[in-house]
Amino acid sequence: MDRKVLRNLSYGVYVVTSKDKDRNIGCIANSIMQVTSNPSVIAVSINHDNYTNKVIKETNKFGVSILKEKSNAKIIGTFGFKSSKDIDKFNDIDFKEILEIPVLENTCGYMVCKVIDTMETETHTVFLSKVIEADDYSNENPMTYKYYHEYLKGNAPKNAPTYEEQSIMSSDEDSKTKKWKCSICGYVYEGDELPDDFVCPICGVGKENFELVTEE
């Protein structure tokens, strides 16, 4: 089976949020689709290992914030490569609460949803959900997974439905350029050496978390 054909499916980049009692939580998702328009129903896929999955099952309510191409890439690093169990992901993030659910500002817009049914796969829960509130912030281009991968040079978090191990290939033009890969989020820096004060633009870690990629 040629799994590369799956890359032709279209994906966005979203922040799925909920509330664990008084604590705001959330994660990155890229598998969200509209199921019906009237009533407005969407399907959202969240990994079993994500803390957000557990909280949504307990509250039956969540928000979806649609990232735009100009959204700060560190939002993806925070919500995609760290756990809400360990940190407050909303620290230094502009957000507001709608129907007691946190949603991000400076995005294309948001939806607040109520779970009406679920389906379990081996690794993910698909939450079938009715949109109960929504707002469209801007007409700027929404971020797609292709844009995130090709222009921001980021990889999918390991819990994402689209995650798969990726090798880094060099073309003839850049075969002499060294590539340094972030061990946390997979971002690739190209250059002879990493600057001492280099910080990953996706997840915010330092130079010590980068490894030189060796071509096989």
Side-chain angles (χ1 to χ4, degrees):
M1 180 174 69
D2 188 354
R3 297 174 58 87
K4 292 194 298 293
V5 69
L6 295 171
R7 299 175 188 172
N8 293 324
L9 295 174
S10 179
Y11 302 95
V13 183
Y14 315 95
V15 178
V16 176
T17 52
S18 192
K19 183 179 283 287
D20 182 11
K21 298 179 182 177
D22 293 330
R23 190 162 178 244
N24 296 325
I25 60 95
C27 69
I28 290 291
N30 61 8
S31 292
I32 297 179
M33 63 173 288
Q34 181 175 343
V35 178
T36 63
S37 59
N38 189 19
S40 297
V41 175
I42 66 172
V44 179
S45 178
I46 304 292
N47 192 286
H48 293 157
D49 293 335
N50 279 5
Y51 189 60
T52 304
N53 183 308
K54 171 181 177 293
V55 175
I56 293 176
K57 286 178 177 176
E58 292 173 349
T59 62
N60 286 320
K61 196 161 68 171
F62 64 90
V64 175
S65 297
I66 304 168
L67 296 186
K68 55 187 178 181
E69 290 181 354
K70 293 182 180 180
S71 292
N72 191 329
K74 288 185 178 180
I75 293 175
I76 301 174
T78 297
F79 284 89
F81 297 93
K82 300 175 183 178
S83 173
S84 292
K85 290 185 295 186
D86 302 326
I87 67 167
D88 177 6
K89 293 186 177 183
F90 289 80
N91 188 32
D92 296 328
I93 296 290
D94 292 328
F95 72 97
K96 62 184 179 181
E97 288 196 2
I98 303 295
L99 300 178
E100 300 181 341
I101 296 295
V103 293
L104 275 63
E105 297 185 308
N106 300 319
T107 63
C108 288
Y110 70 83
M111 295 172 282
V112 175
C113 306
K114 181 179 181 180
V115 177
I116 58 177
D117 204 352
T118 61
M119 181 183 71
E120 299 293 343
T121 72
E122 290 185 12
T123 59
H124 288 68
T125 302
V126 178
F127 294 98
L128 194 65
S129 309
K130 183 178 180 180
V131 179
I132 56 177
E133 186 58 80
D135 197 6
D136 183 21
Y137 287 155
S138 115
N139 58 3
E140 294 184 56
N141 291 334
M143 186 184 297
T144 64
Y145 179 70
K146 181 177 181 180
Y147 180 90
Y148 166 66
H149 178 68
E150 294 185 357
Y151 292 91
L152 298 184
K153 300 183 183 298
N155 288 334
K158 288 188 177 181
N159 287 346
T162 55
Y163 174 80
E164 57 182 285
E165 292 288 348
Q166 297 181 2
S167 59
I168 301 173
M169 304 299 291
S170 290
S171 65
D172 292 339
E173 294 180 356
D174 63 8
S175 60
K176 294 181 181 180
T177 303
K178 290 182 180 178
K179 298 178 186 291
W180 305 82
K181 183 177 180 180
C182 177
S183 62
I184 306 300
C185 70
Y187 172 82
V188 176
Y189 172 87
E190 298 182 8
D192 290 336
E193 295 294 338
L194 278 166
D196 290 337
D197 59 351
F198 184 79
V199 174
C200 178
I202 302 295
C203 67
V205 298
K207 172 183 178 180
E208 65 277 6
N209 290 282
F210 279 73
E211 301 171 348
L212 179 65
V213 177
T214 56
E215 303 293 340
E216 297 182 356

